[in-house]
Amino acid sequence: MKTLLSSSIKFALFSGALASLTPQHVFAQQAEINISIQPLGQALNQLSQQTGTVIIAPSRLVSDKQAVAATGKLTVIEAVDQLLLDSGLIAQEQPSGAIIIKKADLSPTSPNKRAANYQAPMDEIVVTGLKRESSLQDTPVAISVLGGDELKAQGVTDFTDLIDSLSGISINSAFGGPENSFITIRGIGGADDYKPNGNPSVALHVDGIYQTSNAYLSMPLFDLERIEVLKGPQGTLYGRNTTAGTINAITRAPGDTLNGYADIEYGSYDFVSGSAAVGGPVSDNLGVRVAVLMKQGGGFMDGQGAGDFAGFVPEGTEGIIPAVTDPGERDGFGDADLFAFRGTAEYEFDNITSLTLHYFVSQNRGDTRQYDRIAFDDDTSALNAGENDNPYEFYASEYYSHEIDVSGFSGDFSRQLDKDLNLDVLFALQSSDRNVSGNGDGTSFPRYQYNFDDSLNQTSLEIRLSDSTGGEFDWIAGAFFINDSVDFTSNWTSYAVLSQYSSPYNQRRNSVATFGNLDWNVSNDLVLSAGLRYTKDSAKFRGENIDADPWGLSIFEDTFNTDANFSWDRQFDDSNVSGKLVVQYFVNNNFNVFASVSTAYRGGGFDGTSIFSEEETQPFESEEVFAYEAGARYVNDTVNFTLDVFSYDFEELQATARLSNDTNGRTNVGKATVRGAEASLAVTLFEQDSHRVTFNTAGTYLDTEITEFNSNRVNDVISTIGDPLPGSPKWSQTAALNYETSFANNTQLNARINYSYHGEESNRLNAGDGNTTPSYSLLGLRVDVTLNNGLNLYAYGRNITDEVYFLELNSGSRLVGAPATYGGGISYAF
């Protein structure tokens, strides 16, 4: 059932959130604390149990220290500070409510006096990538973190916006257009299926809830605490479809005190955006947060109508096939029209038991980004309607818009069963309805004009038991279940086939898994970890092929070398065991190294593209990867440095290839390798009085190769073996230079310049020049002025050099990136 929200409801919700942003003073809650003198690690664990607060204390820092007694009516942070007296350690409060213990000499300046965009050292950043809270410095996996302020500054409002914010990440839209896309990480995922029943290589999560389909890539992301990107296979803790990695968006919690913000932004091409949120306690046990987002405008393409194809019909079909219509010219095409709402409630039954609930709904009615074609003189006149060299102008017989509705309900129940035993239960119900149309050739000639209509539903449950108290052994064990269903219909109008035809199908899929991971703290310096996961998958796939032949002229069977009008009923069952071994050594408090070996898999299943032949209905096997990784982490008060090297070997590589009847279909095509390295550096260049200059950069080098390829076309085999994988630029890099200062009246100024480079990459297998996008560089600026009353004024420019770059090339059609855009806004936070 589609979610329908009227404009009046949108306005009421948005206005209500704005109206509720009235600052109030809420006192920090105190509790009766009674902690005696004892080993520091034991005391902190006892305090965590008494107050229900997550306290992260690396054993290497606290194992040889005694705690000072803490008694009386104290806040949690006051109690921690008391326990840490004369220890050489300090407590750092996190926005999530967690407290992390770290060396005092890593914090030369009080956090309260730092500028708003202060870049915390790795050991101050709390992540949940290993399904437990830990400091980024101590996490033995390649992980990138973008905080909420950083995401806002870079304009990230969905998963696809991450592409130019992180190195080693690409996006491919294939034939399905920008509303049917998939992400690659470190070159893995570029051969994915963009249809809704596929198995993506990158696992998307929101608040720990797995999103089963690439259909959720366009889900709006807003009011975020952070986004964590785990790079490389994650088969043990996250399971199927994580051969490239996993992305987890964590939304903001209600908070212990009343807090919120409102933001209004205006930019180029009449782009308007508004967001607001308010959260805080409504009673001693209940906290609530509501957040809304609205986006309108921003379309930078200009439609020229049908051009030379206006009134066209194939020769000999006059009066039978309808002529190509001319919709006229339209400026500013590509406008957004989005509304999203999220409500969160946290209820604490007692100090050791809590329940968090999320409700989310979004409605997207924007224009569908349009392909254009190369200039007429360089193209085939059979498809070109008169294009010039301007990539921001296009020809079309229709200006397509889309309808995308997503809604969901999820929860997280947590209870401390014993002093060293925790229970977490995550559950979710989610649905999506989409209707997307287009012409993948980027022309007004309806050679293959499509309309995709899909409905997705998923139900998931994860139960975890864990002991992460920092003793000799930390462990996590659990079970996972997910059920998802997809109903999909692809409708085609084709002047090449002289017919209208469709492929309605449904897929029902279940996946059940058990998993466990054990960390053995051999000593204060050495940690050994081992994990194992067993998964069982089952999928049923039913549908039919229908050639409607409305004009009595269909050449469907000749075009696709197959019989038309058939049905199918298939089933696929599979199981997998994935594992991981990690060794991590702490050279000292600032420097540690690790190495790992692991396996992961991408589930097998069925082709999600339009089914034109019975061969395309056959299942394909699961794709498997064997991975080696090693990394180093160094942090002090001015420098954060990370280095990762990796090597992956793939078998049963899934991709679209030529089948025996010469149509395209998903199948297992061979083997591939990925070799690479990744490094990041964050450094304080200058800090004196109220001035601070920081610089951070990250880069990824990839060497990917298809080593074995199977196809019914000998030329495809010859031309593909030795090629790089799709979506794997050899080099990619991001960098940012940031200047912060404050004035006498406590007004803060923050100025930032961003740079990103994305190397040349192919969009698909068997890629030629027409399917390889050139490298590009983007430069952006942002300036924020924050007053002491919480008011913030900002201005930005993105792609300020106005570089013309392409997200995809598909022979003569191309999908262009955004030109130079500028904007500004005003926000208020408390």
Side-chain angles (χ1 to χ4, degrees):
M1 179 178 177
K2 294 184 181 295
T3 303
L4 299 178
L5 297 173
S6 68
S7 299
S8 60
I9 296 175
K10 295 181 190 179
F11 180 78
L13 287 169
F14 187 65
S15 302
L18 287 173
S20 62
L21 298 182
T22 305
Q24 299 177 17
H25 181 69
V26 179
F27 291 97
Q29 295 183 0
Q30 293 183 326
E32 194 66 40
I33 305 296
N34 185 16
I35 309 290
S36 61
I37 297 175
Q38 57 186 296
L40 181 56
Q42 184 176 314
L44 291 169
N45 187 43
Q46 185 178 343
L47 178 63
S48 175
Q49 293 178 47
Q50 287 187 13
T51 63
T53 302
V54 173
I55 302 175
I56 299 172
S59 59
R60 69 183 190 281
L61 297 182
V62 301
S63 60
D64 59 346
K65 292 181 170 58
Q66 285 287 111
V68 175
T71 58
K73 214 164 184 63
L74 302 169
T75 65
V76 178
I77 192 64
E78 288 172 344
V80 175
D81 288 340
Q82 183 66 35
L83 295 175
L84 296 179
L85 279 177
D86 301 322
S87 67
L89 304 174
I90 65 169
Q92 180 75 52
E93 283 188 285
Q94 304 298 311
S96 64
I99 295 175
I100 187 167
I101 308 303
K102 63 188 198 62
K103 288 184 66 177
D105 61 359
L106 289 180
S107 180
T109 307
S110 167
N112 295 328
K113 295 180 181 179
R114 290 172 178 158
N117 290 312
Y118 166 69
Q119 180 68 36
M122 285 187 296
D123 67 333
E124 290 185 24
I125 299 174
V126 175
V127 296
T128 53
L130 299 184
K131 300 206 171 182
R132 57 181 172 83
E133 293 190 299
S134 61
S135 70
L136 182 59
Q137 162 76 351
D138 293 345
T139 305
V141 67
I143 180 170
S144 298
V145 180
L146 293 173
D149 291 338
E150 178 80 357
L151 294 165
K152 172 63 180 174
Q154 298 198 35
V156 175
T157 58
D158 59 41
F159 286 108
T160 62
D161 288 333
L162 292 171
I163 304 312
D164 294 315
S165 300
L166 297 168
S167 67
I169 299 184
S170 297
I171 189 167
N172 193 332
S173 297
F175 181 79
E179 270 60 50
N180 292 278
S181 303
F182 42 87
I183 288 178
T184 70
I185 298 179
R186 291 179 171 176
I188 308 167
D192 278 7
D193 183 1
Y194 59 85
K195 290 303 190 297
N197 76 321
N199 292 294
S201 298
V202 178
L204 307 175
H205 295 77
V206 177
D207 290 322
I209 303 301
Y210 175 54
Q211 314 293 303
T212 58
S213 172
N214 276 325
Y216 293 112
L217 272 175
S218 59
M219 176 188 295
L221 301 176
F222 61 104
D223 195 39
L224 296 179
E225 180 68 38
R226 66 187 182 278
I227 288 181
E228 300 176 4
V229 180
L230 281 72
K231 298 180 179 179
Q234 308 295 327
T236 303
L237 289 177
Y238 289 93
R240 64 197 296 270
N241 303 342
T242 59
T243 49
T246 183
I247 302 175
N248 194 6
I250 297 97
T251 63
R252 289 183 178 173
D256 294 330
T257 60
L258 188 67
N259 67 97
Y261 64 87
D263 183 286
I264 297 292
E265 175 186 333
Y266 180 80
S268 301
Y269 305 100
D270 292 325
F271 175 75
V272 179
S273 174
S275 60
V278 62
V282 296
S283 71
D284 291 341
N285 301 96
L286 178 64
V288 173
R289 186 176 188 88
V290 294
V292 292
L293 170 70
M294 295 180 67
K295 293 171 63 176
Q296 298 283 332
F300 56 82
M301 301 285 286
D302 292 330
Q304 306 300 306
D308 294 345
F309 287 113
F312 174 83
V313 294
E315 185 176 353
T317 66
E318 294 84 354
I320 302 175
I321 293 180
V324 173
T325 58
D326 189 347
E329 296 185 3
R330 178 172 166 182
D331 294 338
F333 182 81
D335 282 345
D337 182 3
L338 171 71
F339 173 80
F341 167 85
R342 182 190 305 112
T344 302
E346 284 187 355
Y347 186 79
E348 292 187 359
F349 297 90
D350 51 46
N351 287 338
I352 59 173
T353 310
S354 66
L355 174 65
T356 302
L357 299 175
H358 303 277
Y359 174 73
F360 168 83
V361 61
S362 70
Q363 177 182 283
N364 188 335
R365 294 292 183 270
D367 298 332
T368 299
R369 287 276 301 279
Q370 180 66 40
Y371 291 85
D372 85 318
R373 289 195 70 84
I374 58 178
F376 183 85
D377 293 340
D378 301 321
D379 197 15
T380 168
S381 58
L383 294 176
N384 200 299
E387 290 271 4
N388 54 29
D389 287 325
N390 187 346
Y392 305 112
E393 294 181 356
F394 67 95
Y395 289 86
S397 58
E398 181 180 346
Y399 295 121
Y400 302 102
S401 61
H402 50 254
E403 298 181 4
I404 303 174
D405 298 311
V406 183
S407 62
F409 173 79
S410 67
D412 183 352
F413 175 79
S414 177
R415 179 172 174 81
Q416 188 172 14
L417 301 177
D418 199 359
K419 65 179 182 179
D420 54 0
L421 184 62
N422 302 306
L423 169 69
D424 285 284
V425 180
L426 281 77
F427 53 92
L429 302 170
Q430 188 167 298
S431 64
S432 167
D433 291 278
R434 302 189 307 164
N435 187 280
V436 179
S437 301
N439 188 337
D441 292 322
T443 176
S444 56
F445 173 64
R447 183 166 175 257
Y448 294 104
Q449 191 176 60
Y450 62 84
N451 171 265
F452 297 152
D453 195 303
D454 59 60
S455 178
L456 291 77
N457 291 276
Q458 68 174 70
T459 305
S460 64
L461 174 67
E462 182 169 339
I463 302 173
R464 300 196 300 257
L465 292 171
S466 64
D467 171 18
S468 55
T469 56
E472 182 178 1
F473 294 100
D474 289 334
W475 58 268
I476 183 172
F480 175 77
F481 167 79
I482 194 163
N483 170 275
D484 72 306
S485 63
V486 178
D487 293 281
F488 176 78
T489 300
S490 61
N491 298 297
W492 298 84
T493 296
S494 173
Y495 281 21
V497 181
L498 300 178
S499 187
Q500 293 177 335
Y501 46 94
S502 62
S503 296
Y505 70 71
N506 66 74
Q507 178 178 279
R508 304 293 182 262
R509 181 169 51 189
N510 294 307
S511 183
V512 181
T514 58
F515 61 92
N517 193 84
L518 176 68
D519 297 333
W520 178 21
N521 299 298
V522 181
S523 68
N524 290 340
D525 303 322
L526 180 64
V527 182
L528 301 179
S529 302
L532 203 63
R533 188 182 190 104
Y534 171 77
T535 307
K536 184 173 179 59
D537 296 328
S538 177
K540 293 183 178 180
F541 187 51
R542 300 183 179 94
E544 58 183 326
N545 170 276
I546 303 170
D547 179 17
D549 191 16
W551 308 309
L553 301 171
S554 175
I555 55 172
F556 181 96
E557 295 188 347
D558 292 335
T559 301
F560 298 110
N561 190 25
T562 185
D563 294 330
N565 300 308
F566 58 86
S567 62
W568 68 88
D569 187 346
R570 311 288 188 200
Q571 181 161 335
F572 173 79
D573 297 289
D574 193 19
S575 61
N576 176 271
V577 176
S578 299
K580 188 171 188 176
L581 294 172
V582 185
V583 57
Q584 184 177 25
Y585 181 71
F586 292 87
V587 179
N588 53 47
N589 290 331
N590 304 101
F591 181 53
N592 73 80
V593 295
F594 67 88
S596 69
V597 56
S598 64
T599 62
Y601 84 109
R602 181 150 67 105
F606 299 96
D607 194 340
T609 55
S610 300
I611 306 299
F612 299 148
S613 67
E614 291 197 55
E615 186 177 1
E616 295 171 75
T617 69
Q618 298 295 331
F620 48 83
E621 298 301 315
S622 298
E623 177 183 291
E624 298 183 344
V625 59
F626 200 85
Y628 297 92
E629 300 203 37
R633 305 285 184 265
Y634 177 79
V635 60
N636 64 22
D637 56 348
T638 58
V639 175
N640 293 349
F641 176 74
T642 71
L643 175 65
D644 296 279
V645 294
F646 46 89
S647 175
Y648 310 139
D649 292 285
F650 287 84
E651 294 186 352
E652 300 293 349
L653 184 70
Q654 297 173 10
T656 299
R658 294 284 181 176
L659 303 177
S660 59
N661 68 336
D662 209 31
T663 60
N664 289 324
R666 299 290 296 178
T667 187
N668 301 103
V669 299
K671 300 179 180 180
T673 62
V674 176
R675 311 286 186 257
E678 199 164 57
S680 70
L681 173 69
V683 59
T684 300
L685 300 177
F686 175 80
E687 187 168 15
Q688 185 176 346
D689 299 327
S690 62
H691 303 280
R692 190 167 188 263
V693 179
T694 59
F695 173 75
N696 61 77
T697 184
T700 301
Y701 169 78
L702 294 174
D703 180 13
T704 68
E705 183 181 3
I706 300 171
T707 58
E708 182 180 302
F709 186 71
N710 306 312
S711 173
N712 288 303
R713 284 190 169 186
V714 176
N715 288 339
D716 284 356
V717 175
I718 295 172
S719 64
T720 302
I721 291 179
D723 279 359
L725 285 167
S728 60
K730 188 172 288 290
W731 291 99
S732 58
Q733 182 184 6
T734 61
L737 183 67
N738 196 77
Y739 169 68
E740 306 165 4
T741 189
S742 59
F743 305 104
N745 60 358
N746 206 27
T747 297
Q748 294 184 343
L749 170 70
N750 183 278
R752 180 184 179 93
I753 182 169
N754 291 300
Y755 168 81
S756 67
Y757 171 80
H758 202 90
E760 176 185 278
E761 65 178 356
S762 61
N763 296 128
R764 63 201 66 225
L765 300 175
N766 316 121
D769 291 339
N771 297 116
T772 301
T773 57
S775 61
Y776 63 88
S777 299
L778 301 178
L779 196 64
L781 294 170
R782 182 180 171 104
V783 177
D784 288 78
V785 177
T786 305
L787 307 180
N788 59 8
N789 62 359
L791 195 67
N792 179 61
L793 306 173
Y794 62 90
Y796 63 82
R798 299 179 183 136
N799 187 17
I800 59 175
T801 60
D802 202 22
E803 177 159 352
V804 177
Y805 65 102
F806 297 98
L807 303 174
E808 181 188 348
L809 295 181
N810 181 13
S811 298
S813 64
R814 54 192 183 177
L815 185 64
V816 67
T821 55
Y822 300 90
I826 181 171
S827 63
Y828 172 69
F830 62 92

